[in-house]
Amino acid sequence: MSISVEIGDLTQVEADAIVNAANSTLLGGGGVDGAIHAAAGPRLLEACRRLRNTTHRGGLDVGDAVATPAFDLPASWVIHTVGPNLHRGQDDPALLASCFARSLDVAAELDARSVAFPAVSAGAYGWPVPDVARIAVTTCRGWLAEHPDGSPQEVRFVVVDERIRDAFEDAIGMA
């Protein structure tokens, strides 16, 4: 079991699954969500529309996760999760922790051995990076400890800059 952090482009990561910091519509957006949709190609949007027309008619709830194939990405799966939006008063750390735990639950259902996460809710959703890093690392470390023989075995945080990387490195060292 391993947890690591690196600066990089999540759309270029070779992992069994990458996690999309999606919005509740599942139909694409800005930031990580927009980049993943653009890199995965139009079939990702079609798959998300199918989810909206079947199992997630009202959209995906904050803190929940669901998977689609990754299509043109190097990963096999995209796990979509909706982080809490601090600007909308969604300030419960349990909702943010749920994003990471539910994503790992979905990864386990897919038998994904490796999962790459962005800093969910740290961008446009306004959560302080140190809080996101602490909650993410603590949640993932706890999940991995509860599932020592299962999948996934590798969690990577793929972030966009040194400031975010440093916060995750601090959280990894402290947790």
Side-chain angles (χ1 to χ4, degrees):
M1 295 186 299
S2 69
I3 297 178
S4 62
V5 61
E6 64 195 66
I7 296 173
D9 180 348
L10 191 61
T11 67
Q12 299 301 310
V13 170
E14 292 187 20
D16 294 328
I18 63 168
V19 176
N20 179 17
N23 62 52
S24 62
T25 70
L26 296 173
L27 302 178
V32 169
D33 192 17
I36 287 173
H37 272 267
R43 293 178 296 165
L44 180 60
L45 182 57
E46 291 171 17
C48 288
R49 282 189 176 132
R50 278 192 297 279
L51 288 171
R52 285 298 307 270
N53 290 329
T54 57
T55 58
H56 292 85
R57 288 187 178 276
L60 188 63
D61 291 336
V62 173
D64 202 0
V66 65
T68 62
F71 300 106
D72 296 338
L73 294 165
S76 297
W77 301 98
V78 175
I79 299 172
H80 308 267
T81 191
V82 179
N85 187 332
L86 195 61
H87 304 300
R88 293 186 181 163
Q90 298 168 342
D91 59 0
D92 184 355
L95 284 175
L96 184 56
S98 181
C99 293
F100 295 96
R102 283 291 302 131
S103 293
L104 290 172
D105 290 341
V106 171
E109 292 168 10
L110 299 169
D111 199 30
R113 302 291 294 167
S114 58
V115 179
F117 283 95
V120 176
S121 289
Y125 283 13
W127 277 69
V129 170
D131 292 347
V132 171
R134 179 182 44 77
I135 291 166
V137 170
T138 301
T139 302
C140 290
R141 189 167 276 152
W143 193 98
L144 292 171
E146 290 176 15
H147 304 84
D149 299 322
S151 289
Q153 290 293 305
E154 177 190 2
V155 171
R156 294 162 56 193
F157 296 102
V158 180
V159 300
V160 297
D161 63 36
E162 291 177 5
R163 179 182 63 89
I164 300 171
R165 182 201 60 206
D166 292 349
F168 273 85
E169 283 179 347
D170 288 348
I172 291 168
M174 295 168 57

Short mmCIF file of all heavy atoms in Angstrom, two decimals, residues 5 10 13 37 43 52 55 58 62 72 80 84-85 94 115 117 122-124 138 144 153 159-160 170 172:
data_model
loop_
_atom_site.label_atom_id
_atom_site.label_comp_id
_atom_site.label_asym_id
_atom_site.label_seq_id
_atom_site.Cartn_x
_atom_site.Cartn_y
_atom_site.Cartn_z
N VAL A 5 2.50 11.82 -3.75
CA VAL A 5 2.04 13.04 -4.39
C VAL A 5 3.06 13.44 -5.44
O VAL A 5 4.25 13.21 -5.27
CB VAL A 5 1.81 14.18 -3.37
CG1 VAL A 5 3.08 14.54 -2.65
CG2 VAL A 5 1.19 15.41 -4.04
N LEU A 10 -3.14 15.19 -14.65
CA LEU A 10 -3.95 14.02 -14.33
C LEU A 10 -4.42 13.29 -15.58
O LEU A 10 -4.55 12.07 -15.57
CB LEU A 10 -5.15 14.46 -13.47
CG LEU A 10 -5.98 13.37 -12.81
CD1 LEU A 10 -5.14 12.54 -11.85
CD2 LEU A 10 -7.16 13.98 -12.09
N VAL A 13 -1.83 10.58 -16.64
CA VAL A 13 -1.40 9.60 -15.65
C VAL A 13 -1.78 8.19 -16.08
O VAL A 13 -2.93 7.95 -16.48
CB VAL A 13 -2.02 9.92 -14.27
CG1 VAL A 13 -1.80 8.79 -13.29
CG2 VAL A 13 -1.43 11.21 -13.74
N HIS A 37 -12.69 15.73 -19.45
CA HIS A 37 -13.66 15.55 -20.54
C HIS A 37 -13.01 15.81 -21.90
O HIS A 37 -13.25 15.06 -22.85
CB HIS A 37 -14.88 16.44 -20.33
CG HIS A 37 -15.94 15.80 -19.51
ND1 HIS A 37 -16.99 15.10 -20.04
CD2 HIS A 37 -16.10 15.74 -18.15
CE1 HIS A 37 -17.77 14.64 -19.07
NE2 HIS A 37 -17.24 15.03 -17.91
N ARG A 43 -16.90 10.39 -26.13
CA ARG A 43 -17.58 9.22 -25.56
C ARG A 43 -17.75 9.34 -24.04
O ARG A 43 -18.67 8.76 -23.48
CB ARG A 43 -16.85 7.94 -25.93
CG ARG A 43 -16.92 7.64 -27.43
CD ARG A 43 -16.16 6.40 -27.80
NE ARG A 43 -14.73 6.62 -27.51
CZ ARG A 43 -13.83 5.65 -27.46
NH1 ARG A 43 -14.18 4.40 -27.67
NH2 ARG A 43 -12.56 5.93 -27.21
N ARG A 52 -26.90 10.06 -16.37
CA ARG A 52 -27.93 11.04 -16.02
C ARG A 52 -29.32 10.57 -16.46
O ARG A 52 -30.32 10.94 -15.86
CB ARG A 52 -27.63 12.40 -16.67
CG ARG A 52 -26.50 13.17 -16.02
CD ARG A 52 -26.80 13.52 -14.56
NE ARG A 52 -28.06 14.20 -14.36
CZ ARG A 52 -28.23 15.50 -14.39
NH1 ARG A 52 -27.20 16.30 -14.60
NH2 ARG A 52 -29.41 16.02 -14.21
N THR A 55 -29.29 5.95 -13.82
CA THR A 55 -29.09 5.80 -12.37
C THR A 55 -28.91 7.11 -11.62
O THR A 55 -29.07 7.14 -10.39
CB THR A 55 -27.88 4.91 -12.09
OG1 THR A 55 -26.72 5.48 -12.71
CG2 THR A 55 -28.10 3.50 -12.60
N GLY A 58 -31.01 12.87 -11.12
CA GLY A 58 -30.91 14.17 -10.47
C GLY A 58 -29.48 14.68 -10.36
O GLY A 58 -29.24 15.69 -9.72
N VAL A 62 -23.17 15.38 -3.69
CA VAL A 62 -21.90 15.77 -3.10
C VAL A 62 -21.42 14.63 -2.20
O VAL A 62 -22.18 14.08 -1.40
CB VAL A 62 -22.05 17.07 -2.28
CG1 VAL A 62 -20.77 17.39 -1.51
CG2 VAL A 62 -22.43 18.22 -3.19
N ASP A 72 -10.35 7.81 -24.19
CA ASP A 72 -9.07 8.17 -24.81
C ASP A 72 -7.96 8.52 -23.81
O ASP A 72 -6.88 8.94 -24.22
CB ASP A 72 -9.27 9.34 -25.78
CG ASP A 72 -10.16 8.97 -26.95
OD1 ASP A 72 -10.28 7.76 -27.26
OD2 ASP A 72 -10.74 9.88 -27.57
N HIS A 80 -15.87 9.64 -11.08
CA HIS A 80 -16.36 11.01 -10.92
C HIS A 80 -16.84 11.18 -9.48
O HIS A 80 -17.61 10.36 -8.99
CB HIS A 80 -17.53 11.26 -11.87
CG HIS A 80 -17.22 10.91 -13.29
ND1 HIS A 80 -16.74 11.84 -14.20
CD2 HIS A 80 -17.31 9.73 -13.96
CE1 HIS A 80 -16.56 11.24 -15.37
NE2 HIS A 80 -16.90 9.96 -15.25
N PRO A 84 -17.55 19.06 -1.99
CA PRO A 84 -18.34 20.15 -1.42
C PRO A 84 -17.81 21.51 -1.87
O PRO A 84 -16.62 21.70 -2.00
CB PRO A 84 -18.18 19.95 0.09
CG PRO A 84 -16.89 19.21 0.25
CD PRO A 84 -16.74 18.36 -0.99
N ASN A 85 -18.72 22.42 -2.10
CA ASN A 85 -18.39 23.76 -2.55
C ASN A 85 -18.49 24.72 -1.36
O ASN A 85 -19.59 25.02 -0.89
CB ASN A 85 -19.33 24.19 -3.68
CG ASN A 85 -18.95 25.50 -4.31
OD1 ASN A 85 -18.35 26.36 -3.68
ND2 ASN A 85 -19.30 25.65 -5.58
N ALA A 94 -16.78 15.98 6.55
CA ALA A 94 -17.22 14.61 6.26
C ALA A 94 -17.63 14.46 4.81
O ALA A 94 -17.45 13.38 4.22
CB ALA A 94 -18.36 14.21 7.20
N VAL A 115 -4.98 4.32 -8.15
CA VAL A 115 -5.93 5.42 -8.31
C VAL A 115 -5.18 6.74 -8.17
O VAL A 115 -4.36 6.90 -7.26
CB VAL A 115 -7.05 5.36 -7.24
CG1 VAL A 115 -8.01 6.52 -7.40
CG2 VAL A 115 -7.78 4.04 -7.30
N PHE A 117 -5.73 10.85 -7.75
CA PHE A 117 -6.68 11.87 -7.34
C PHE A 117 -6.14 13.27 -7.62
O PHE A 117 -4.95 13.51 -7.44
CB PHE A 117 -6.89 11.84 -5.82
CG PHE A 117 -7.75 10.74 -5.29
CD1 PHE A 117 -7.18 9.57 -4.84
CD2 PHE A 117 -9.12 10.91 -5.18
CE1 PHE A 117 -7.96 8.56 -4.30
CE2 PHE A 117 -9.92 9.91 -4.63
CZ PHE A 117 -9.33 8.73 -4.20
N ALA A 122 -10.29 21.89 -3.84
CA ALA A 122 -9.30 22.91 -3.51
C ALA A 122 -9.24 24.04 -4.54
O ALA A 122 -8.66 25.07 -4.26
CB ALA A 122 -7.90 22.28 -3.38
N GLY A 123 -9.85 23.86 -5.67
CA GLY A 123 -9.80 24.89 -6.71
C GLY A 123 -10.98 25.84 -6.60
O GLY A 123 -11.13 26.56 -5.61
N ALA A 124 -11.82 25.81 -7.59
CA ALA A 124 -12.95 26.74 -7.66
C ALA A 124 -13.94 26.57 -6.52
O ALA A 124 -14.71 27.48 -6.23
CB ALA A 124 -13.67 26.57 -9.00
N THR A 138 -5.64 11.52 5.22
CA THR A 138 -6.16 10.77 6.37
C THR A 138 -7.23 9.77 5.93
O THR A 138 -7.23 8.61 6.36
CB THR A 138 -6.74 11.74 7.42
OG1 THR A 138 -5.70 12.63 7.84
CG2 THR A 138 -7.30 11.00 8.61
N LEU A 144 -7.21 2.48 3.14
CA LEU A 144 -6.24 1.44 2.78
C LEU A 144 -5.96 0.51 3.97
O LEU A 144 -5.80 -0.70 3.80
CB LEU A 144 -4.95 2.07 2.26
CG LEU A 144 -5.06 2.77 0.91
CD1 LEU A 144 -3.76 3.54 0.61
CD2 LEU A 144 -5.37 1.80 -0.21
N GLN A 153 -4.25 -0.60 -4.18
CA GLN A 153 -3.07 -0.66 -3.33
C GLN A 153 -2.22 0.60 -3.43
O GLN A 153 -1.38 0.85 -2.60
CB GLN A 153 -2.21 -1.88 -3.69
CG GLN A 153 -2.85 -3.19 -3.30
CD GLN A 153 -2.93 -3.34 -1.79
OE1 GLN A 153 -1.94 -3.24 -1.10
NE2 GLN A 153 -4.14 -3.56 -1.28
N VAL A 159 -1.15 16.76 -8.56
CA VAL A 159 -1.54 18.15 -8.32
C VAL A 159 -0.84 19.07 -9.31
O VAL A 159 0.10 18.67 -10.00
CB VAL A 159 -1.24 18.55 -6.86
CG1 VAL A 159 -2.04 17.64 -5.90
CG2 VAL A 159 0.23 18.48 -6.54
N VAL A 160 -1.28 20.33 -9.34
CA VAL A 160 -0.86 21.23 -10.40
C VAL A 160 0.33 22.12 -10.07
O VAL A 160 0.91 22.71 -10.98
CB VAL A 160 -2.03 22.11 -10.89
CG1 VAL A 160 -3.14 21.25 -11.49
CG2 VAL A 160 -2.57 22.97 -9.76
N ASP A 170 3.27 17.45 3.35
CA ASP A 170 3.15 17.68 4.79
C ASP A 170 2.10 16.74 5.39
O ASP A 170 2.33 16.15 6.45
CB ASP A 170 2.76 19.13 5.09
CG ASP A 170 3.91 20.11 4.84
OD1 ASP A 170 5.06 19.66 4.65
OD2 ASP A 170 3.62 21.33 4.80
N ILE A 172 1.05 13.85 4.23
CA ILE A 172 1.54 12.47 4.19
C ILE A 172 2.53 12.22 5.33
O ILE A 172 2.48 11.19 5.99
CB ILE A 172 2.17 12.16 2.81
CG1 ILE A 172 1.08 12.10 1.73
CG2 ILE A 172 2.96 10.84 2.86
CD1 ILE A 172 1.60 12.09 0.31
#
